[in-house]
Amino acid sequence: MKINIDYKGKDYNEIKKYNQAKHTKELREAKFLPRELTFSCSVLCWDQHVAFFTAADEGVAWVVQSPSMSQMMRQIFDLLWSVSRRMETV
């Protein structure tokens, strides 16, 4: 299955420009992982789906529909969220 998803991430300096009012308005909370945790791939979770995206130079993505995989990835997210630090706002 081929899916076309265009993701444009924001770099750190652009993200840091947001202030607390902007986060509140957009119902967002942002955190940063510890520096030693870096990932070259991305994962998105919704409903019972998990999408995996490799680095742009590889250009590979796939979606898994699995309640157990979705639950596991949400637990991993919760673990990473718990060790992340709050983003400083201006």
Side-chain angles (χ1 to χ4, degrees):
M1 172 170 87
K2 182 177 179 180
I3 58 173
N4 292 320
I5 297 177
D6 187 23
Y7 172 76
K8 299 203 183 325
K10 297 182 182 285
D11 68 28
Y12 174 78
N13 292 326
E14 185 176 344
I15 292 171
K16 195 164 179 149
K17 292 178 187 174
Y18 284 103
N19 61 28
Q20 188 58 47
K22 179 88 169 171
H23 285 293
T24 301
K25 179 181 175 188
E26 296 182 358
L27 303 176
R28 170 184 42 221
E29 183 178 355
K31 289 187 173 186
F32 289 101
L33 289 169
R35 291 191 188 279
E36 63 271 10
L37 293 176
T38 59
F39 302 101
S40 61
C41 300
S42 298
V43 178
L44 298 175
C45 299
W46 71 97
D47 300 328
Q48 295 181 353
H49 297 80
V50 182
F52 299 90
F53 302 87
T54 64
D57 61 334
E58 294 176 1
V60 178
W62 65 96
V63 177
V64 176
Q65 182 179 359
S66 164
S68 59
M69 179 69 78
S70 178
Q71 179 185 17
M72 181 187 74
M73 294 309 296
R74 290 172 199 278
Q75 290 172 333
I76 291 171
F77 172 86
D78 289 340
L79 173 64
L80 293 171
W81 188 261
S82 72
V83 299
S84 299
R85 62 180 170 81
R86 286 189 177 272
M87 186 182 86
E88 297 173 17
T89 54
V90 290

